[in-house]
Amino acid sequence: MASQVNSSFASPAANADYAEVVSEYSSGLLSQFYNGFSWWSVLASTLLAAVVYDQVMYQWRKGSIVGPAWKIPFMGPFLESLHPKLDRYIAKWNSGDLSCVSVFHKFVVIASSRDMSRKIFNSPGYVKPCVVDAGHKLLRPANWVFLDGKAHVDYRKGLNGLFTRQALETYLPGQEEVYDTYFQRFVDLSQKENNGKPIPFMPEFRELMCAVSCRTFVGHYISDSAIKKIADDYYNITAALELVNFPVLLPFTKPWYGKKAADVVIEEFARCAAKSKVRMAAGGNVECIMDGWVKSIQDSTKYREKIAKGIEVPADEKPTQSLREFTDLEISMTVFTFLFASQDATSSASTWLFQLVADRPEVLRQIREEQLAVRNGDASVRLSMDLLENMPYTRAVVKETLRYRPPVILVPYLAKKDFPITPTYTIPKGSMVIPSVYPALHDPEAYPNPDTFDPDRWISGDAELQTKNWLVFGTGPHYCLGQTYAQMNLIAMIGKASLDLDWVHHATPTSEDIRIFATLFPQDDCPLVFFRRNRSITA
């Protein structure tokens, strides 16, 4: 028997009444969704996800080392970092060999112990020197300081000859000329313009150090008015390169003003390079670092040209280092890095040097006695390397100043790849890695009573033997190229000042408090009064 089919059955979707019900239900769901939707909820959800991601990444990078339990969302301790305090740094150093913070997108690992800091300095395979985000824009991305590995080593070799003993001797007349000018200015400021009343001299020392540096680096190719402008504007460069700052060049921010100031310096130095090339090609004598470098470049070019023509060149005419041609801009950018490395550091050191010596008459007396003795009683004898190398006490005062109030307390590096710095912790690639200098220089095991200013520790003590702790100029492949120049400069300055000047420090309650502006300065900017000294007085 044939089966019977129920032909009355039909799909519900074909039922008009059912479709109407489904349509109403779907409309209700969409209506509820759209009614509950708002851009504010999307933004809130996105922000919450970003905060969670920021915290998770911070905790992952932090790992086992010391650091805040939680990061302030996104910015971290940015506001606190706008006004850095030495006691906060000391607390951070005392918290452990390694500690960390995270500011905006930067994860920062800070090494406090001597050995941990030295390990970073001496690990070029894992780290390279870096500056804050604005630094590449101020110094220019093509600057030699951003070279790494063999490229950096080769470039540096071409600069070593600019800081030999013979080269340093060449620069002394220009430096002493600047000292003569500014020491008279100090007296006039105190006696004529301020009627013997104390004024903060830190800004004057910054200008003095800028003038000495410019005369040493670019000689008389630069005018006094240009030096004054660079000294005044350099505050903007310093502010732009503070460890924590805006990561982009927004108009009217510190990095923006710093970039404008840096461009002026680079343009000025490029003009100096062009003048030096003409003068050296005409057979002029070397009077500054730029002259020495330009002459070496031109000598290398002449040597290669003779070799190419098959001309035999005597061995004594072969350059120690064969250098390629450099453009005016390349020379300018390199010389600008010398100013960048020296300006704030020597400004700090000179300020503390004048203050510390003024507060310790016995120290000043011994400096004067040594200065007269090395000159055979004739205070008018001009500076020479022979003189500077026979001033052990003055040298001890300078070294103790650099130890007691180090011009550089932190040196930023960048992790090129994951850095297994300890068996239990690996610094993530891309982190900023900061070896600290201050703790090693205030280590009581190396320097007994480290918070006491004691030049004698360098003469009768064993301070000279503490080479692993002496990190004032760094260590490793990127140690300071001009460390001998910097120390000789300060020895020359304070030695000459002791013969030409008397000065009185008008201490305030904040004279020994430290203000951090890239480096360390007295909180009150060192109020002094200067007097012209009668050279016939022997003590």
Side-chain angles (χ1 to χ4, degrees):
M1 182 171 65
S3 62
Q4 192 174 19
V5 177
N6 183 1
S7 59
S8 66
F9 178 82
S11 169
N15 188 306
D17 292 338
Y18 183 83
E20 185 176 334
V21 171
V22 171
S23 175
E24 289 178 359
Y25 178 73
S26 300
S27 298
L29 284 176
L30 291 172
S31 176
Q32 290 179 33
F33 174 78
Y34 284 114
N35 287 338
F37 174 88
S38 73
W39 286 111
W40 289 113
S41 63
V42 172
L43 288 173
S45 299
T46 303
L47 180 61
L48 178 61
V51 169
V52 171
Y53 175 80
D54 191 44
Q55 293 294 338
V56 169
M57 291 303 296
Y58 167 69
Q59 296 295 335
W60 175 74
R61 291 167 176 159
K62 175 176 175 287
S64 60
I65 64 174
V66 178
W70 299 97
K71 175 185 176 183
I72 298 174
F74 308 121
M75 69 177 181
F78 171 70
L79 296 178
E80 178 183 306
S81 302
L82 291 176
H83 303 286
K85 304 288 185 184
L86 184 62
D87 57 352
R88 291 177 186 162
Y89 280 117
I90 292 175
K92 176 69 71 174
W93 292 324
N94 290 338
S95 67
D97 285 355
L98 291 174
S99 59
C100 69
V101 294
S102 183
V103 182
F104 292 123
H105 62 298
K106 284 288 185 185
F107 182 71
V108 183
V109 177
I110 302 169
S112 59
S113 69
R114 177 200 70 185
D115 292 341
M116 202 66 72
S117 293
R118 289 184 65 87
K119 185 171 185 177
I120 296 168
F121 280 127
N122 288 286
S123 297
Y126 288 101
V127 299
K128 63 179 181 179
C130 74
V131 289
V132 295
D133 292 320
H136 287 79
K137 300 178 179 67
L138 269 65
L139 297 174
R140 307 286 177 91
N143 203 302
W144 81 283
V145 295
F146 301 123
L147 295 176
D148 194 27
K150 186 177 184 301
H152 172 265
V153 172
D154 290 344
Y155 200 108
R156 188 183 177 100
K157 284 180 181 178
L159 303 175
N160 286 334
L162 305 177
F163 296 95
T164 63
R165 185 185 188 280
Q166 182 180 356
L168 295 179
E169 182 92 57
T170 303
Y171 314 143
L172 284 174
Q175 293 169 18
E176 190 159 22
E177 173 191 318
V178 174
Y179 293 139
D180 287 336
T181 299
Y182 275 82
F183 287 173
Q184 184 58 52
R185 172 175 166 76
F186 291 173
V187 174
D188 291 342
L189 270 174
S190 292
Q191 303 305 321
K192 294 181 180 179
E193 298 182 28
N194 289 281
N195 299 315
K197 296 179 181 178
I199 61 170
F201 260 85
M202 185 275 280
E204 300 303 321
F205 295 141
R206 281 183 66 93
E207 185 177 329
L208 165 63
M209 288 296 102
C210 184
V212 170
S213 294
C214 285
R215 193 65 74 223
T216 303
F217 301 157
V218 299
H220 288 86
Y221 301 122
I222 188 171
S223 67
D224 291 341
S225 60
I227 291 175
K228 179 73 168 73
K229 179 170 176 54
I230 290 173
D232 291 343
D233 290 351
Y234 207 90
Y235 279 98
N236 292 328
I237 297 173
T238 301
L241 295 173
E242 289 175 328
L243 190 58
V244 177
N245 223 319
F246 286 98
V248 294
L249 292 180
L250 296 176
F252 310 112
T253 60
K254 290 179 181 179
W256 184 79
Y257 283 114
K259 177 67 165 61
K260 289 170 67 70
D263 287 346
V264 170
V265 178
I266 290 174
E267 290 170 7
E268 183 67 39
F269 283 1
R271 287 191 286 270
C272 294
K275 296 174 186 176
S276 178
K277 286 179 177 179
V278 172
R279 183 169 167 272
M280 289 299 99
N285 293 324
V286 172
E287 295 181 354
C288 61
I289 282 178
M290 186 173 282
D291 282 346
W293 195 21
V294 167
K295 186 176 188 305
S296 295
I297 294 169
Q298 293 178 349
D299 288 347
S300 295
T301 300
K302 292 175 184 177
Y303 173 77
R304 286 193 298 271
E305 289 174 350
K306 288 180 179 179
I307 294 297
K309 294 176 181 178
I311 300 174
E312 185 176 349
V313 181
D316 60 352
E317 290 185 18
K318 181 179 179 180
T320 304
Q321 181 77 16
S322 182
L323 304 178
R324 65 172 174 84
E325 287 289 339
F326 287 82
T327 66
D328 296 345
L329 179 59
E330 286 179 309
I331 294 173
S332 173
M333 288 193 299
T334 299
V335 174
F336 179 46
T337 64
F338 298 160
L339 182 64
F340 169 74
S342 65
Q343 175 59 18
D344 291 314
T346 56
S347 296
S348 167
S350 60
T351 302
W352 286 111
L353 197 50
F354 273 102
Q355 175 170 310
L356 291 167
V357 168
D359 291 343
R360 295 160 177 81
E362 177 61 21
V363 171
L364 179 56
R365 183 187 66 79
Q366 291 186 70
I367 293 174
R368 280 185 177 137
E369 288 179 353
E370 181 173 78
Q371 295 301 309
L372 284 170
V374 78
R375 291 172 169 83
N376 295 317
D378 184 357
S380 65
V381 172
R382 306 299 280 178
L383 291 169
S384 68
M385 288 300 292
D386 285 339
L387 284 183
L388 293 172
E389 290 170 346
N390 285 281
M391 301 176 181
Y393 186 77
T394 309
R395 178 178 178 274
V397 171
V398 167
K399 292 200 73 170
E400 180 65 355
T401 300
L402 296 175
R403 184 206 66 80
Y404 181 67
R405 292 288 184 259
V408 177
I409 60 174
L410 302 166
V411 184
Y413 279 73
L414 180 71
K416 299 187 292 185
K417 57 185 177 181
D418 288 351
F419 182 6
I421 192 167
T422 72
T424 59
Y425 183 70
T426 297
I427 299 173
K429 176 183 177 181
S431 302
M432 183 178 284
V433 189
I434 302 181
S436 303
V437 171
Y438 189 95
L441 295 168
H442 284 255
D443 179 357
E445 293 186 10
Y447 307 107
N449 301 314
D451 295 326
T452 299
F453 180 80
D454 180 15
D456 288 330
R457 74 172 81 241
W458 298 94
I459 297 174
S460 57
D462 65 354
E464 288 287 0
L465 301 178
Q466 309 303 324
T467 54
K468 287 189 175 182
N469 285 70
W470 182 248
L471 297 178
V472 172
F473 299 99
T475 187
H478 292 277
Y479 75 90
C480 178
L481 193 63
Q483 59 177 305
T484 301
Y485 157 72
Q487 293 177 84
M488 289 299 182
N489 181 19
L490 294 169
I491 291 169
M493 178 195 71
I494 199 66
K496 185 174 176 62
S498 72
L499 297 176
D500 292 352
L501 303 169
D502 279 314
W503 63 98
V504 177
H505 177 222
H506 290 254
T508 72
T510 60
S511 289
E512 289 298 320
D513 294 341
I514 291 173
R515 176 169 68 94
I516 299 178
F517 182 57
T519 181
L520 309 183
F521 290 99
Q523 189 71 46
D524 61 4
D525 287 343
C526 191
L528 298 170
V529 177
F530 280 91
F531 307 86
R532 175 60 67 178
R533 181 173 174 78
N534 185 345
R535 280 186 169 177
S536 64
I537 300 175
T538 59

